[in-house]
Amino acid sequence: MSHETLTLDVSEHIATITITRPPVNAQNNRFREELVEVVDALGDRSDVRAIVITGEGKAFSAGADLSERPTQDPGHYTAHNRRVRASFDCLLECPKPIIAAVNGAAIGAGCVTALCCDIIVTSEKGFLQMTEVMVGLAGGVAHVRRHFGESDARMMIYTARRVYGPELLRMNVASACVAPEDLLETARGIATDIAKASPSAVRAAKKSFQVTEGVSIYEGYRFEQGQTKALSTSEDTAEAMAAFREKRAPVFKG
């Protein structure tokens, strides 16, 4: 299936989504609809174990398409906000790990898109920026706060300052910062490592991250123990034990 605002490639259990809205990959309603559709489908596909999302050209995504700002007509802003949330929630809720390969500007909604992914890798030229205060808007605090320390989160929101790849790595926001030409290879390398693991165990691990955020360590660990108990009777666990005994690499089916 072809899409207007993104491309999709699937090979060796890795899906690569590329945002394709030149010149800066701004997010319009069509993009939001297509992203939700594609990510939801990938979450259900047995041939996909990890997802990489990046941008075409020099930008990851420079934020919302301002030509489609909602009007003050009754219900219009509410519907707009629901669509925006859905485009972020599909990333957070996807059962497969998603890696953001930040190749350039990730501004506003583009920044939040990256922050909703499980893992962030960035090029040396990539940066995150929240510019809402400079255009009289608000938003992004909840997502920024999940990744940045409190002082850095407030600085980013209050000043709209760009935070580039090397600084993101220092702040532990990004897992890697590499030369632009090495970005996709690095992201796909991480995805390949994920794809080698038990798909059912990886899904359980992501579910644990989703469920245990914001709960006590007591409640969180009890949930994880329940996950482990459920996995203990799975085909993947049996294969892992057999591979260990036979001194070979496991072949997981998920």
Side-chain angles (χ1 to χ4, degrees), residues 27 31-33 35-36 82-91 113 116:
Q27 300 183 14
F31 166 76
R32 297 181 185 107
E33 293 167 359
L35 183 66
V36 171
R82 186 180 298 113
R83 284 191 293 266
V84 172
R85 286 198 305 272
S87 70
F88 300 147
D89 289 347
C90 72
L91 304 171
T113 296
C116 285

Side-chain angles (χ1 to χ4, degrees), residues 57-169:
K58 295 183 179 180
F60 178 79
S61 172
D65 186 337
L66 296 181
S67 69
E68 289 191 1
R69 292 300 303 168
T71 70
Q72 296 302 319
D73 292 342
H76 199 205
Y77 228 113
T78 299
H80 169 78
N81 285 345
R82 186 180 298 113
R83 284 191 293 266
V84 172
R85 286 198 305 272
S87 70
F88 300 147
D89 289 347
C90 72
L91 304 171
L92 293 168
E93 296 170 1
C94 179
K96 314 290 175 63
I98 303 177
I99 302 160
V102 180
N103 54 304
I107 302 171
C111 176
V112 174
T113 296
L115 294 176
C116 285
C117 295
D118 295 273
I119 298 168
I120 298 173
V121 296
T122 178
S123 81
E124 294 161 344
K125 296 182 178 180
F127 65 86
L128 302 184
Q129 183 181 24
M130 295 299 296
T131 57
E132 275 68 7
V133 297
M134 297 303 179
V135 292
L137 298 173
V141 169
H143 294 286
V144 169
R145 193 178 241 166
R146 289 177 68 238
H147 291 267
F148 289 80
E150 194 68 14
S151 179
D152 289 329
R154 291 170 187 258
M155 179 192 69
M156 188 176 184
I157 293 292
Y158 296 159
T159 68
R161 186 177 299 179
R162 294 180 178 184
V163 185
Y164 280 89
E167 193 73 351
L168 293 170
L169 182 63

